[in-house]
Amino acid sequence: MNILLTSSGRRTYIVEYMKQALNGKGLVHAANSEFSIAMQVADKSVCTPMIFDAGYLDFLLAYCQANQIGAVMSLFDIDLPVLAGAKKRFAEKGIQIVVSDHSVTRICNDKYQTYTFLQENNFNAPFTFIKLNDVRQAIHAESIHYPVIVKPRWGMGSIGIYQADNDKELDIFYAKVKKDIQRSYLKYESTDDHDHCVIVQEKLEGQEFGIDVLNDLDDNFAGLVPKKKIAMRSGETDSAEVIDHAGLAKVGQALAATLKHCGNLDVDCFEKDGKVYVLEMNCRFGGQYPFSHLAGVNYPAAIVSWLRGETPLQDCFSYKVGTRGIKDILPRVLLNPS
């Protein structure tokens, strides 16, 4: 079986994990809209049209058919709803897209929808607003207090995230985030509601945690890995420790059962006054997964087993509590930069 990883970017480790999982019984193809380092590590690679290009899906389907691709996975949030909408079309050609249903990708990509989903399903979440007047009223009523976090509603990484400490900064940063969105790829999803493409969120003080919530390809719970985040870099987990945490485990299992995502759900959490608050969710391999893998989890191998119609080994979901990891920066010679 050959697997295609779209929007592969810099995630060379996912490429390596998938190659190891296939164990010589298939090739890993990496795709991106421009040359990326993950493409160099893959067995084969291809540059695609931009995700929102009218010919993007046609290109992917033709490439998959020409290269006997059995499964497609994306490593980029913006790609997810586009691929989710094409699952049936690809399945008719014998190609499985490993992605959550379209509604799930929209909940995760839209941070205001994330908030409303969490509220409606009785999860703790920081107060989140899409209207400045509502923020001011909440501050006046002392429901929340400065500082607050201003960021893109459809965002990822560290693009356009600011802390406002007073009314003046709130107005300035709200306007600035709108400009940041229009200057980046975040502008594409933000067209869904340009007037409300910025959110303002209560700032939580406390320890930050993460959870990899691992569902199978039929959206059923398979396992989870709780972590304490030690360091962050550009909005991504840079160092973490795998821990035993009953509160995080309870939240992770509840999310798996309620959201019914496919594959990995990357969850960012805070603990405050003994309660776990869910901050964000990404329904893909996220930046914290390598720490699960270092601790013994082999989720790529589980995915390959499911794709082959097999039952994964239980060891695929086992991990050693106390494993602490840190990401490295490894320079590489470009073999084929064109």
Side-chain angles (χ1 to χ4, degrees):
M1 173 184 294
N2 297 329
I3 293 176
L4 173 64
L5 302 176
T6 64
S7 300
S8 56
R10 298 174 60 191
R11 299 193 188 278
T12 55
Y13 49 84
I14 299 296
V15 175
E16 296 284 11
Y17 296 160
M18 295 306 301
K19 287 169 70 174
Q20 293 164 13
L22 288 172
N23 194 28
K25 298 178 181 178
L27 301 177
V28 176
H29 295 240
N32 213 60
S33 59
E34 58 184 23
F35 181 80
S36 72
I37 194 61
M39 293 167 64
Q40 179 165 300
V41 176
D43 295 308
K44 292 188 177 182
S45 64
V46 64
C47 283
T48 71
M50 297 287 286
I51 293 169
F52 287 99
D53 188 289
Y56 177 64
L57 290 173
D58 290 340
F59 181 93
L60 285 185
L61 184 57
Y63 183 84
C64 288
Q65 290 180 292
N67 291 275
Q68 294 80 51
I69 302 295
V72 178
M73 299 172 59
S74 178
L75 306 181
F76 191 42
D77 294 332
I78 292 178
D79 213 6
L80 301 178
V82 176
L83 292 179
K87 286 173 77 171
K88 182 178 178 181
R89 179 183 174 191
F90 277 63
E92 289 172 348
K93 302 297 183 182
I95 304 159
Q96 183 166 353
I97 300 182
V98 181
V99 67
S100 296
D101 289 343
H102 189 268
S103 60
V104 175
T105 67
R106 299 305 294 170
I107 289 170
C108 293
N109 283 15
D110 180 341
K111 290 177 173 50
Y112 191 69
Q113 277 201 51
T114 299
Y115 173 68
T116 57
F117 167 83
L118 294 169
Q119 289 278 293
E120 290 167 358
N121 289 282
N122 301 312
F123 293 96
N124 298 316
F127 286 115
T128 303
F129 307 88
I130 55 173
K131 297 180 180 179
L132 276 179
N133 284 341
D134 291 343
V135 181
R136 294 190 182 99
Q137 288 176 13
I139 292 172
H140 181 74
E142 297 189 346
S143 300
I144 65 170
H145 303 86
Y146 284 114
V148 294
I149 303 299
V150 188
K151 61 185 183 182
R153 178 175 173 180
W154 291 272
M156 60 206 75
S158 58
I159 297 174
I161 299 178
Y162 302 96
Q163 176 177 302
D165 295 324
N166 52 55
D167 290 346
K168 184 177 181 181
E169 289 185 357
L170 176 61
D171 290 336
I172 291 171
F173 289 140
Y174 192 90
K176 179 163 178 50
V177 172
K178 275 198 168 185
K179 288 184 178 180
D180 289 347
I181 289 169
Q182 292 308 307
R183 292 170 180 164
S184 74
Y185 52 76
L186 302 184
K187 64 185 177 184
Y188 295 108
E189 282 194 295
S190 297
T191 57
D192 285 355
D193 190 351
H194 179 69
D195 291 336
H196 302 107
C197 63
V198 178
I199 63 169
V200 180
Q201 203 163 54
E202 172 189 18
K203 183 181 180 182
L204 296 179
E205 301 289 350
Q207 176 63 51
E208 188 170 1
F209 295 91
I211 319 171
D212 277 319
V213 183
L214 311 174
N215 276 8
D216 65 19
L217 305 189
D218 294 316
D219 310 338
N220 300 307
F221 178 72
L224 60 80
V225 190
K227 300 173 211 69
K228 179 172 71 174
K229 298 193 178 188
I230 298 169
M232 302 291 292
R233 184 189 299 270
S234 300
E236 184 171 296
T237 308
D238 202 45
S239 178
E241 180 180 353
V242 172
I243 60 173
D244 184 17
H245 193 297
L248 291 174
K250 182 179 179 180
V251 168
Q253 291 184 52
L255 284 172
T258 308
L259 187 63
K260 302 295 290 183
H261 64 281
C262 172
N264 193 6
L265 184 72
D266 176 284
V267 184
D268 293 330
C269 308
F270 275 87
E271 187 174 46
K272 178 182 177 183
D273 300 327
K275 295 180 180 180
V276 175
Y277 288 75
V278 178
L279 182 64
E280 294 184 5
M281 304 184 296
N282 302 297
C283 50
R284 55 166 171 77
F285 277 104
Q288 62 173 294
Y289 175 74
F291 305 105
S292 299
H293 207 83
L294 286 173
V297 171
N298 195 341
Y299 191 54
I303 291 175
V304 169
S305 293
W306 286 320
L307 288 170
R308 290 173 173 163
E310 302 168 357
T311 300
L313 297 174
Q314 191 54 43
D315 285 352
C316 289
F317 308 102
S318 300
Y319 55 87
K320 183 178 179 181
V321 172
T323 303
R324 182 170 176 172
I326 187 167
K327 289 181 180 173
D328 193 6
I329 298 176
L330 177 66
R332 299 177 185 267
V333 174
L334 291 183
L335 301 178
N336 184 22
S338 60

